[in-house]
Amino acid sequence: MNNERLYQVILGPHISEKANIIAETQNQVVFKVRTDATKLEIKKAVEKLLGVQVQAVNTVLVKGKNKGFGRTPGRRSDFKKAYITLPAGTEVQLADVAE
């Protein structure tokens, strides 16, 4: 895999209430990733960028919502989330990952 590609796979951390609960209880972190990224690319990118061992990668393709912007109808973009499972006792500072 190309090193340039690994740096482009992770777009940033996904910060939400559910992501914080999962981080505390199940030792997982959530990232927004490119929609064409594979699980193997995501795993290698996290291991290279954060320097941690990854146990598992689960992905979810989130479909964009139809929203109105005033009188103009619009649509939010689709995006992909990756749930990264880390070994017990491993902590990652999400401030280290630029969004």
PDB file of all heavy atoms in Angstrom, residues 58-83:
ATOM      1  N   ASN A  58     -14.561  -2.261  12.196  1.00  0.00           N
ATOM      2  CA  ASN A  58     -15.932  -2.385  11.706  1.00  0.00           C
ATOM      3  C   ASN A  58     -16.293  -1.076  11.017  1.00  0.00           C
ATOM      4  O   ASN A  58     -15.985  -0.006  11.534  1.00  0.00           O
ATOM      5  CB  ASN A  58     -16.919  -2.662  12.835  1.00  0.00           C
ATOM      6  CG  ASN A  58     -16.657  -3.979  13.509  1.00  0.00           C
ATOM      7  OD1 ASN A  58     -16.187  -4.925  12.875  1.00  0.00           O
ATOM      8  ND2 ASN A  58     -16.944  -4.051  14.785  1.00  0.00           N
ATOM      9  N   THR A  59     -16.960  -1.155   9.865  1.00  0.00           N
ATOM     10  CA  THR A  59     -17.294   0.049   9.119  1.00  0.00           C
ATOM     11  C   THR A  59     -18.797   0.173   8.932  1.00  0.00           C
ATOM     12  O   THR A  59     -19.515  -0.832   8.884  1.00  0.00           O
ATOM     13  CB  THR A  59     -16.612   0.054   7.738  1.00  0.00           C
ATOM     14  OG1 THR A  59     -17.013  -1.097   7.014  1.00  0.00           O
ATOM     15  CG2 THR A  59     -15.106   0.095   7.870  1.00  0.00           C
ATOM     16  N   VAL A  60     -19.245   1.423   8.808  1.00  0.00           N
ATOM     17  CA  VAL A  60     -20.654   1.725   8.572  1.00  0.00           C
ATOM     18  C   VAL A  60     -20.713   2.817   7.512  1.00  0.00           C
ATOM     19  O   VAL A  60     -20.043   3.845   7.636  1.00  0.00           O
ATOM     20  CB  VAL A  60     -21.342   2.242   9.855  1.00  0.00           C
ATOM     21  CG1 VAL A  60     -22.784   2.620   9.582  1.00  0.00           C
ATOM     22  CG2 VAL A  60     -21.253   1.240  10.960  1.00  0.00           C
ATOM     23  N   LEU A  61     -21.512   2.605   6.473  1.00  0.00           N
ATOM     24  CA  LEU A  61     -21.723   3.611   5.454  1.00  0.00           C
ATOM     25  C   LEU A  61     -23.003   4.359   5.806  1.00  0.00           C
ATOM     26  O   LEU A  61     -24.090   3.786   5.777  1.00  0.00           O
ATOM     27  CB  LEU A  61     -21.829   2.973   4.070  1.00  0.00           C
ATOM     28  CG  LEU A  61     -21.885   3.918   2.899  1.00  0.00           C
ATOM     29  CD1 LEU A  61     -20.612   4.779   2.847  1.00  0.00           C
ATOM     30  CD2 LEU A  61     -22.051   3.161   1.613  1.00  0.00           C
ATOM     31  N   VAL A  62     -22.864   5.630   6.169  1.00  0.00           N
ATOM     32  CA  VAL A  62     -23.993   6.439   6.617  1.00  0.00           C
ATOM     33  C   VAL A  62     -24.526   7.214   5.423  1.00  0.00           C
ATOM     34  O   VAL A  62     -23.791   7.957   4.773  1.00  0.00           O
ATOM     35  CB  VAL A  62     -23.562   7.419   7.735  1.00  0.00           C
ATOM     36  CG1 VAL A  62     -24.741   8.259   8.184  1.00  0.00           C
ATOM     37  CG2 VAL A  62     -22.967   6.655   8.892  1.00  0.00           C
ATOM     38  N   LYS A  63     -25.802   7.026   5.121  1.00  0.00           N
ATOM     39  CA  LYS A  63     -26.424   7.722   4.004  1.00  0.00           C
ATOM     40  C   LYS A  63     -26.803   9.135   4.420  1.00  0.00           C
ATOM     41  O   LYS A  63     -27.255   9.375   5.541  1.00  0.00           O
ATOM     42  CB  LYS A  63     -27.687   6.983   3.546  1.00  0.00           C
ATOM     43  CG  LYS A  63     -27.431   5.574   3.075  1.00  0.00           C
ATOM     44  CD  LYS A  63     -26.643   5.579   1.790  1.00  0.00           C
ATOM     45  CE  LYS A  63     -26.486   4.171   1.275  1.00  0.00           C
ATOM     46  NZ  LYS A  63     -25.704   4.129   0.049  1.00  0.00           N
ATOM     47  N   GLY A  64     -26.621  10.087   3.522  1.00  0.00           N
ATOM     48  CA  GLY A  64     -26.936  11.484   3.795  1.00  0.00           C
ATOM     49  C   GLY A  64     -28.436  11.724   3.861  1.00  0.00           C
ATOM     50  O   GLY A  64     -29.223  11.035   3.219  1.00  0.00           O
ATOM     51  N   LYS A  65     -28.810  12.715   4.657  1.00  0.00           N
ATOM     52  CA  LYS A  65     -30.219  13.036   4.832  1.00  0.00           C
ATOM     53  C   LYS A  65     -30.664  14.069   3.801  1.00  0.00           C
ATOM     54  O   LYS A  65     -29.877  14.899   3.358  1.00  0.00           O
ATOM     55  CB  LYS A  65     -30.454  13.636   6.216  1.00  0.00           C
ATOM     56  CG  LYS A  65     -30.193  12.716   7.365  1.00  0.00           C
ATOM     57  CD  LYS A  65     -30.449  13.462   8.666  1.00  0.00           C
ATOM     58  CE  LYS A  65     -30.221  12.582   9.860  1.00  0.00           C
ATOM     59  NZ  LYS A  65     -30.472  13.300  11.109  1.00  0.00           N
ATOM     60  N   ASN A  66     -31.962  14.060   3.484  1.00  0.00           N
ATOM     61  CA  ASN A  66     -32.547  15.129   2.690  1.00  0.00           C
ATOM     62  C   ASN A  66     -32.932  16.242   3.647  1.00  0.00           C
ATOM     63  O   ASN A  66     -33.691  16.025   4.588  1.00  0.00           O
ATOM     64  CB  ASN A  66     -33.780  14.636   1.935  1.00  0.00           C
ATOM     65  CG  ASN A  66     -33.427  13.666   0.837  1.00  0.00           C
ATOM     66  OD1 ASN A  66     -32.418  13.845   0.158  1.00  0.00           O
ATOM     67  ND2 ASN A  66     -34.226  12.638   0.660  1.00  0.00           N
ATOM     68  N   LYS A  67     -32.390  17.417   3.428  1.00  0.00           N
ATOM     69  CA  LYS A  67     -32.652  18.555   4.300  1.00  0.00           C
ATOM     70  C   LYS A  67     -33.027  19.752   3.438  1.00  0.00           C
ATOM     71  O   LYS A  67     -32.574  19.873   2.300  1.00  0.00           O
ATOM     72  CB  LYS A  67     -31.411  18.918   5.126  1.00  0.00           C
ATOM     73  CG  LYS A  67     -30.895  17.807   6.014  1.00  0.00           C
ATOM     74  CD  LYS A  67     -31.827  17.491   7.140  1.00  0.00           C
ATOM     75  CE  LYS A  67     -31.637  18.453   8.262  1.00  0.00           C
ATOM     76  NZ  LYS A  67     -32.397  18.129   9.459  1.00  0.00           N
ATOM     77  N   GLY A  68     -33.821  20.639   4.020  1.00  0.00           N
ATOM     78  CA  GLY A  68     -34.177  21.867   3.324  1.00  0.00           C
ATOM     79  C   GLY A  68     -33.316  23.014   3.795  1.00  0.00           C
ATOM     80  O   GLY A  68     -33.030  23.163   4.981  1.00  0.00           O
ATOM     81  N   PHE A  69     -32.865  23.821   2.859  1.00  0.00           N
ATOM     82  CA  PHE A  69     -32.101  25.032   3.171  1.00  0.00           C
ATOM     83  C   PHE A  69     -32.940  26.214   2.722  1.00  0.00           C
ATOM     84  O   PHE A  69     -32.811  26.695   1.593  1.00  0.00           O
ATOM     85  CB  PHE A  69     -30.742  25.017   2.473  1.00  0.00           C
ATOM     86  CG  PHE A  69     -29.902  23.832   2.845  1.00  0.00           C
ATOM     87  CD1 PHE A  69     -29.796  22.741   2.005  1.00  0.00           C
ATOM     88  CD2 PHE A  69     -29.234  23.805   4.050  1.00  0.00           C
ATOM     89  CE1 PHE A  69     -29.028  21.655   2.350  1.00  0.00           C
ATOM     90  CE2 PHE A  69     -28.464  22.719   4.410  1.00  0.00           C
ATOM     91  CZ  PHE A  69     -28.365  21.650   3.553  1.00  0.00           C
ATOM     92  N   GLY A  70     -33.820  26.660   3.630  1.00  0.00           N
ATOM     93  CA  GLY A  70     -34.768  27.695   3.240  1.00  0.00           C
ATOM     94  C   GLY A  70     -35.773  27.090   2.275  1.00  0.00           C
ATOM     95  O   GLY A  70     -36.412  26.089   2.558  1.00  0.00           O
ATOM     96  N   ARG A  71     -35.918  27.703   1.111  1.00  0.00           N
ATOM     97  CA  ARG A  71     -36.817  27.159   0.094  1.00  0.00           C
ATOM     98  C   ARG A  71     -36.131  26.129  -0.790  1.00  0.00           C
ATOM     99  O   ARG A  71     -36.775  25.439  -1.555  1.00  0.00           O
ATOM    100  CB  ARG A  71     -37.332  28.283  -0.796  1.00  0.00           C
ATOM    101  CG  ARG A  71     -38.227  29.245  -0.097  1.00  0.00           C
ATOM    102  CD  ARG A  71     -38.760  30.238  -1.076  1.00  0.00           C
ATOM    103  NE  ARG A  71     -39.623  31.176  -0.410  1.00  0.00           N
ATOM    104  CZ  ARG A  71     -40.265  32.145  -1.021  1.00  0.00           C
ATOM    105  NH1 ARG A  71     -40.112  32.315  -2.307  1.00  0.00           N
ATOM    106  NH2 ARG A  71     -41.036  32.950  -0.343  1.00  0.00           N
ATOM    107  N   THR A  72     -34.825  26.045  -0.711  1.00  0.00           N
ATOM    108  CA  THR A  72     -34.069  25.167  -1.588  1.00  0.00           C
ATOM    109  C   THR A  72     -33.916  23.782  -0.962  1.00  0.00           C
ATOM    110  O   THR A  72     -33.383  23.660   0.132  1.00  0.00           O
ATOM    111  CB  THR A  72     -32.665  25.751  -1.842  1.00  0.00           C
ATOM    112  OG1 THR A  72     -32.794  27.103  -2.253  1.00  0.00           O
ATOM    113  CG2 THR A  72     -31.921  24.954  -2.867  1.00  0.00           C
ATOM    114  N   PRO A  73     -34.365  22.745  -1.654  1.00  0.00           N
ATOM    115  CA  PRO A  73     -34.116  21.402  -1.131  1.00  0.00           C
ATOM    116  C   PRO A  73     -32.649  21.023  -1.324  1.00  0.00           C
ATOM    117  O   PRO A  73     -32.018  21.426  -2.298  1.00  0.00           O
ATOM    118  CB  PRO A  73     -35.036  20.518  -1.961  1.00  0.00           C
ATOM    119  CG  PRO A  73     -35.260  21.272  -3.225  1.00  0.00           C
ATOM    120  CD  PRO A  73     -35.150  22.725  -2.873  1.00  0.00           C
ATOM    121  N   GLY A  74     -32.120  20.266  -0.367  1.00  0.00           N
ATOM    122  CA  GLY A  74     -30.721  19.867  -0.456  1.00  0.00           C
ATOM    123  C   GLY A  74     -30.531  18.482   0.116  1.00  0.00           C
ATOM    124  O   GLY A  74     -31.468  17.853   0.608  1.00  0.00           O
ATOM    125  N   ARG A  75     -29.312  18.008   0.031  1.00  0.00           N
ATOM    126  CA  ARG A  75     -28.987  16.680   0.542  1.00  0.00           C
ATOM    127  C   ARG A  75     -27.605  16.724   1.169  1.00  0.00           C
ATOM    128  O   ARG A  75     -26.661  17.263   0.592  1.00  0.00           O
ATOM    129  CB  ARG A  75     -29.000  15.668  -0.592  1.00  0.00           C
ATOM    130  CG  ARG A  75     -28.694  14.267  -0.150  1.00  0.00           C
ATOM    131  CD  ARG A  75     -28.976  13.266  -1.261  1.00  0.00           C
ATOM    132  NE  ARG A  75     -28.421  11.971  -0.950  1.00  0.00           N
ATOM    133  CZ  ARG A  75     -28.969  11.089  -0.145  1.00  0.00           C
ATOM    134  NH1 ARG A  75     -30.114  11.370   0.453  1.00  0.00           N
ATOM    135  NH2 ARG A  75     -28.400   9.935   0.092  1.00  0.00           N
ATOM    136  N   ARG A  76     -27.483  16.138   2.366  1.00  0.00           N
ATOM    137  CA  ARG A  76     -26.181  16.020   3.011  1.00  0.00           C
ATOM    138  C   ARG A  76     -25.398  14.886   2.359  1.00  0.00           C
ATOM    139  O   ARG A  76     -25.987  13.939   1.822  1.00  0.00           O
ATOM    140  CB  ARG A  76     -26.333  15.745   4.501  1.00  0.00           C
ATOM    141  CG  ARG A  76     -26.891  16.917   5.262  1.00  0.00           C
ATOM    142  CD  ARG A  76     -26.889  16.650   6.739  1.00  0.00           C
ATOM    143  NE  ARG A  76     -27.453  17.764   7.464  1.00  0.00           N
ATOM    144  CZ  ARG A  76     -27.754  17.739   8.743  1.00  0.00           C
ATOM    145  NH1 ARG A  76     -27.553  16.636   9.447  1.00  0.00           N
ATOM    146  NH2 ARG A  76     -28.262  18.795   9.332  1.00  0.00           N
ATOM    147  N   SER A  77     -24.092  14.955   2.438  1.00  0.00           N
ATOM    148  CA  SER A  77     -23.233  13.960   1.804  1.00  0.00           C
ATOM    149  C   SER A  77     -23.250  12.645   2.576  1.00  0.00           C
ATOM    150  O   SER A  77     -23.400  12.623   3.790  1.00  0.00           O
ATOM    151  CB  SER A  77     -21.801  14.466   1.741  1.00  0.00           C
ATOM    152  OG  SER A  77     -21.736  15.649   1.000  1.00  0.00           O
ATOM    153  N   ASP A  78     -23.047  11.543   1.842  1.00  0.00           N
ATOM    154  CA  ASP A  78     -22.837  10.239   2.468  1.00  0.00           C
ATOM    155  C   ASP A  78     -21.437  10.221   3.060  1.00  0.00           C
ATOM    156  O   ASP A  78     -20.532  10.887   2.548  1.00  0.00           O
ATOM    157  CB  ASP A  78     -22.942   9.116   1.437  1.00  0.00           C
ATOM    158  CG  ASP A  78     -24.307   9.036   0.777  1.00  0.00           C
ATOM    159  OD1 ASP A  78     -25.277   9.606   1.321  1.00  0.00           O
ATOM    160  OD2 ASP A  78     -24.397   8.407  -0.289  1.00  0.00           O
ATOM    161  N   PHE A  79     -21.230   9.468   4.143  1.00  0.00           N
ATOM    162  CA  PHE A  79     -19.891   9.311   4.692  1.00  0.00           C
ATOM    163  C   PHE A  79     -19.762   7.940   5.332  1.00  0.00           C
ATOM    164  O   PHE A  79     -20.736   7.228   5.544  1.00  0.00           O
ATOM    165  CB  PHE A  79     -19.540  10.428   5.689  1.00  0.00           C
ATOM    166  CG  PHE A  79     -20.361  10.442   6.953  1.00  0.00           C
ATOM    167  CD1 PHE A  79     -19.905   9.825   8.098  1.00  0.00           C
ATOM    168  CD2 PHE A  79     -21.580  11.100   7.004  1.00  0.00           C
ATOM    169  CE1 PHE A  79     -20.642   9.842   9.268  1.00  0.00           C
ATOM    170  CE2 PHE A  79     -22.325  11.131   8.162  1.00  0.00           C
ATOM    171  CZ  PHE A  79     -21.857  10.500   9.297  1.00  0.00           C
ATOM    172  N   LYS A  80     -18.515   7.568   5.602  1.00  0.00           N
ATOM    173  CA  LYS A  80     -18.220   6.254   6.153  1.00  0.00           C
ATOM    174  C   LYS A  80     -17.563   6.431   7.508  1.00  0.00           C
ATOM    175  O   LYS A  80     -16.680   7.274   7.668  1.00  0.00           O
ATOM    176  CB  LYS A  80     -17.286   5.498   5.210  1.00  0.00           C
ATOM    177  CG  LYS A  80     -17.108   4.044   5.510  1.00  0.00           C
ATOM    178  CD  LYS A  80     -16.259   3.395   4.401  1.00  0.00           C
ATOM    179  CE  LYS A  80     -16.449   1.922   4.352  1.00  0.00           C
ATOM    180  NZ  LYS A  80     -15.688   1.313   3.234  1.00  0.00           N
ATOM    181  N   LYS A  81     -18.019   5.622   8.500  1.00  0.00           N
ATOM    182  CA  LYS A  81     -17.425   5.629   9.830  1.00  0.00           C
ATOM    183  C   LYS A  81     -16.712   4.304  10.044  1.00  0.00           C
ATOM    184  O   LYS A  81     -17.165   3.265   9.580  1.00  0.00           O
ATOM    185  CB  LYS A  81     -18.490   5.764  10.926  1.00  0.00           C
ATOM    186  CG  LYS A  81     -19.179   7.088  10.979  1.00  0.00           C
ATOM    187  CD  LYS A  81     -20.016   7.242  12.226  1.00  0.00           C
ATOM    188  CE  LYS A  81     -21.190   6.294  12.271  1.00  0.00           C
ATOM    189  NZ  LYS A  81     -22.079   6.569  13.411  1.00  0.00           N
ATOM    190  N   ALA A  82     -15.608   4.370  10.778  1.00  0.00           N
ATOM    191  CA  ALA A  82     -14.873   3.159  11.117  1.00  0.00           C
ATOM    192  C   ALA A  82     -14.784   3.068  12.634  1.00  0.00           C
ATOM    193  O   ALA A  82     -14.315   4.002  13.289  1.00  0.00           O
ATOM    194  CB  ALA A  82     -13.479   3.183  10.507  1.00  0.00           C
ATOM    195  N   TYR A  83     -15.246   1.948  13.183  1.00  0.00           N
ATOM    196  CA  TYR A  83     -15.138   1.673  14.611  1.00  0.00           C
ATOM    197  C   TYR A  83     -13.886   0.820  14.811  1.00  0.00           C
ATOM    198  O   TYR A  83     -13.834  -0.319  14.352  1.00  0.00           O
ATOM    199  CB  TYR A  83     -16.370   0.925  15.116  1.00  0.00           C
ATOM    200  CG  TYR A  83     -17.626   1.774  15.155  1.00  0.00           C
ATOM    201  CD1 TYR A  83     -18.422   1.923  14.030  1.00  0.00           C
ATOM    202  CD2 TYR A  83     -17.996   2.421  16.319  1.00  0.00           C
ATOM    203  CE1 TYR A  83     -19.565   2.706  14.062  1.00  0.00           C
ATOM    204  CE2 TYR A  83     -19.145   3.204  16.363  1.00  0.00           C
ATOM    205  CZ  TYR A  83     -19.915   3.334  15.232  1.00  0.00           C
ATOM    206  OH  TYR A  83     -21.044   4.113  15.275  1.00  0.00           O
TER     207      TYR A  83
END
